[in-house]
Amino acid sequence: MTIYKDYLQKLKDGLDQIDLVVLEKILNVLWDALHNERLVCIIGNGGSASTASHMACDLGKNTIKDFDGEEKRFRVLCPSDNVATLTAYANDAGYETIFEQPLRSILSSNDIVIAISASGNSPNIVRAVQYAKKKGAITIGFVGFTGGELKKICDHVLHFPEEHYGRSEDAHLVINHMILEALFERKNLQVNL
């Protein structure tokens, strides 16, 4: 039992250190993206790729009141959901380009790139964020450990300050759901996670 309690305590302690002022700034960036029809592109590797996919689903579908209505919707994309494109770029241009290359095709200035990485140092994620910044996009990082390179280069960073991949990934999914719930409140939607 001790191992479970220890895990939960460390997760709670790390979540208590999340900067809620930064979280609110990120919410404002996403709210602006929704109302100005800016693309939100979410990237991550491994477990963070599944968090990116989950977040894309949540933003794209779970922020709609009326599926047949004409309300504004998030324009959201998760490049790792397209395995054919991902593997084609990995094979032909190198794994470090798998996120940068799709961004070159779709990203405009003032679009949003959310980069999720426990270490903050994944070369393909860092390279994509560097390209996004060069293009004039707004960059958001969800990081763990020390924050790595992403903590230095992203415009907005939510840092879970612990050197543990599992708890960092847990925290990033919790942050996703915190953002979603705040968006529900702004749109006056019923919370139905």
Side-chain angles (χ1 to χ4, degrees), residues 2-192:
T2 303
I3 192 167
Y4 307 131
K5 289 180 180 179
D6 183 57
Y7 189 98
L8 287 171
Q9 190 59 56
K10 288 178 179 175
L11 180 60
K12 290 174 190 174
D13 291 346
L15 287 170
D16 283 341
Q17 295 180 59
I18 297 294
D19 189 333
L20 300 181
V21 172
V22 173
L23 185 61
E24 185 70 11
K25 288 178 183 177
I26 291 169
L27 182 72
N28 290 335
V29 167
L30 291 172
W31 188 253
D32 183 65
L34 172 66
H35 290 284
N36 290 293
E37 299 179 357
R38 296 189 175 125
L39 178 67
V40 179
C41 186
I42 312 170
I43 58 177
N45 290 300
S48 296
S50 77
T51 301
S53 184
H54 189 132
M55 188 173 194
C57 175
D58 282 349
L59 287 177
K61 184 238 173 219
N62 290 338
T63 57
I64 301 167
K65 282 184 188 179
D66 176 8
F67 293 127
D68 296 323
E70 295 298 321
E71 69 189 282
K72 290 200 180 271
R73 295 174 179 231
F74 276 99
R75 295 178 57 238
V76 62
L77 176 71
C78 178
S80 58
D81 286 344
N82 187 331
V83 175
T85 300
L86 186 93
T87 56
Y89 282 127
N91 187 63
D92 297 343
Y95 191 74
E96 68 279 0
T97 73
I98 62 169
F99 299 122
E100 174 198 359
Q101 288 299 321
L103 292 182
R104 286 182 176 273
S105 300
I106 59 172
L107 200 65
S108 297
S109 63
N110 294 314
D111 283 343
I112 316 303
V113 173
I114 299 175
I116 305 171
S117 173
S119 72
N121 288 318
S122 300
N124 56 2
I125 300 288
V126 171
R127 186 168 169 155
V129 168
Q130 288 169 335
Y131 172 75
K133 291 184 73 63
K134 180 177 162 186
K135 190 73 177 175
I138 300 166
T139 56
I140 296 169
F142 290 5
V143 298
F145 291 72
T146 63
E149 189 64 21
L150 288 181
K151 187 175 181 183
K152 298 175 194 170
I153 64 174
C154 286
D155 298 314
H156 306 281
V157 178
L158 276 173
H159 181 208
F160 180 79
E162 190 189 342
E163 296 193 15
H164 189 277
Y165 282 101
R167 284 188 289 273
S168 292
E169 292 171 356
D170 294 341
H172 295 157
L173 195 53
V174 168
I175 290 165
N176 165 59
H177 287 143
M178 290 170 71
I179 289 169
L180 191 64
E181 189 153 337
L183 287 167
F184 283 151
E185 185 177 296
R186 282 200 185 181
K187 286 189 84 177
N188 196 24
L189 290 170
Q190 179 181 354
V191 176
N192 208 7

